[in-house]
């Protein structure tokens, strides 16, 4: 591509969840004229959640979509240039950094804020799509409250699944933990807590093959000891189905240039949004294997924009 077609910007933000939009609000107010590309899922993971009740400042709760729309409008009001497009390739070998959008347009930027988020892993059942937001969730801390005194199932056998099951056990009447293997992968402490919780039933060697219900999830079709001679079909009645089989950070296109952990989360200098590449920052779930909340993402987006501003002023740009 001819270089003079490349667009030059001071601050490029990739991603449009709470981290990306908050970074855009701060960067715009600091006169960095940020350009933000919304990516594959405008508004991010929150747009798949119906009601958000734990974001400060919304005492009555707010839908994920509304919250993201509010943040987007706020960023636009201060002059952020918000665009539709997906980052498909990067070259962070030297500043200005190059980011390719939709496989064709190249943006050269002095600072880059990566806020591409993470994607919850699903089992891949058509029913998960069918009941999305109607009983299927990938975030217990987001949606657990709606299942007080109800019956829920959690899929997974690792620490996350055990944590989610224990969290839900404090709210729900009954929790089933559906585990493919005959054992839990979680740490000893977590295993003991789960196995000692009176209202958690662990279903070892069970695979979920489908969900059923009229206007939402009413139950799950399971198969016990799938593929074995004594395989049997089991149905459980549940009101909610929680996936806890992990998240995949959306960091592939940055991996050649910046460090990621074994799962793929971007590593930042502890306590900061700085990556090892000067002027490149990571905010939100793409760099957060621990909390993954809208408010922590927004906070890190703020920090990333402040760091980008400092970097630009120190480098006289």
């Amino acid at each position: 591509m001819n270089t003079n077609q490349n667009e030059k910007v001071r601050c490029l933000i990739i991603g449009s969840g709470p981290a990306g939009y908050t970074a855009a609000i701060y960067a715009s107010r600091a006169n960095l004229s940020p350009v933000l590309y919304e990516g594959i899922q405008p508004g991010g993971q929150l747009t798949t959640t119906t009601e958000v009740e734990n974001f400060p400042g919304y005492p009555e709760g707010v839908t994920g979509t509304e919250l993201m729309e509010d943040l987007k409008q706020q960023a636009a009001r201060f002059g952020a240039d918000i665009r539709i497009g997906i980052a498909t390739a990067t070259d962070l070998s030297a500043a200005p950094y190059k980011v390719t959008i939709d496989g064709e347009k190249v943006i050269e930027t002095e600072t880059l804020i990566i806020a591409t988020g993470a994607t919850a892993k699903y089992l891949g059942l058509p029913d998960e799509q069918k009941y999305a937001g109607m009983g299927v969730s990938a975030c217990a801390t987001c949606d657990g409250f709606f299942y007080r005194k109800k019956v829920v199932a959690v899929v997974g056998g690792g620490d996350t699944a055990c944590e989610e099951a224990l969290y839900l056990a404090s709210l729900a009447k009954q929790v089933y933990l559906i585990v493919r293997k005959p054992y839990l992968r979680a740490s000893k402490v977590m295993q003991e807590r789960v196995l000692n919780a009176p209202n958690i039933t662990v279903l070892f060697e069970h695979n979920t093959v489908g969900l059923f219900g009229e206007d939402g999830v009413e139950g799950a079709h399971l198969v016990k000891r799938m593929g074995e001679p004594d395989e049997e079909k089991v149905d459980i009645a549940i009101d909610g189905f929680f996936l806890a089989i992990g998240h995949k950070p959306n960091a592939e296109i940055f991996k050649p240039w910046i460090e990621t952990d074994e799962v793929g989360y971007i590593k930042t200098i502890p306590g900061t949004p700085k990556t090892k590449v000067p002027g490149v920052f990571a905010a939100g779930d793409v760099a957060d294997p621990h909390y993954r909340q809208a408010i922590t993402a927004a906070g890190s987006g703020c920090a990333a924009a402040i760091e980008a501003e400092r970097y630009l002023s120190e480098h006289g740009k």
Side-chain angles (χ1 to χ4, degrees), residues 91-201:
D91 177 355
L92 310 182
S93 54
Y97 305 114
K98 295 179 184 66
V99 178
T100 307
I101 304 294
D102 297 330
E104 43 189 36
K105 182 180 174 67
V106 176
I107 307 258
E108 291 184 17
T109 185
E110 300 298 338
T111 56
L112 175 64
I113 296 174
I114 301 165
T116 44
T119 309
K121 291 182 186 166
Y122 284 80
L123 297 170
L125 307 171
D127 288 346
E128 290 171 318
Q129 297 302 316
K130 180 178 168 185
Y131 295 107
M134 294 164 62
V136 171
S137 169
C139 179
T141 42
C142 312
D143 300 329
F145 184 79
F146 304 112
Y147 296 94
R148 290 176 74 160
K149 309 272 186 286
K150 292 186 176 177
V151 181
V152 296
V154 177
V155 181
D159 274 335
T160 308
C162 288
E163 272 173 40
E164 307 262 283
L166 285 162
Y167 175 78
L168 290 164
S170 68
L171 298 163
K173 183 169 68 181
Q174 165 73 38
V175 179
Y176 292 104
L177 184 58
I178 303 168
V179 187
R180 267 201 332 235
K181 298 192 159 76
Y183 56 87
L184 289 168
R185 282 183 298 114
S187 59
K188 273 281 171 279
V189 179
M190 292 307 281
Q191 290 191 38
E192 282 166 18
R193 281 187 199 156
V194 163
L195 297 169
N196 291 328
N199 60 339
I200 298 179
T201 304

Side-chain angles (χ1 to χ4, degrees), residues 4 58 74 80 117 135 161 226 229 297:
N4 52 18
Y58 289 90
Q74 197 171 350
M226 192 182 254

Side-chain angles (χ1 to χ4, degrees), residues 198-211:
N199 60 339
I200 298 179
T201 304
V202 184
L203 302 174
F204 288 112
E205 294 187 271
H206 281 70
N207 275 289
T208 309
V209 291
L211 301 166

Side-chain angles (χ1 to χ4, degrees), residues 3 34 40 62-63 66 74 101 117 133 137 156 160 176 182 188 200 209 211 221 233 249 253 255 266 270-271 292-293:
T3 348
I40 240 155
V62 61
T63 70
E66 269 181 286
Q74 197 171 350
I101 304 294
S137 169
T160 308
Y176 292 104
K188 273 281 171 279
I200 298 179
V209 291
L211 301 166
H221 298 300
K233 290 186 168 142
I253 61 168
K255 276 188 178 165
I266 293 176
R292 294 197 297 266
Q293 297 299 302

Side-chain angles (χ1 to χ4, degrees), residues 36-50:
L36 179 149
Y37 277 95
E38 291 187 324
I40 240 155
Q41 189 178 40
Q45 288 185 88
L46 266 196
T47 56
T48 65
T49 309
T50 38

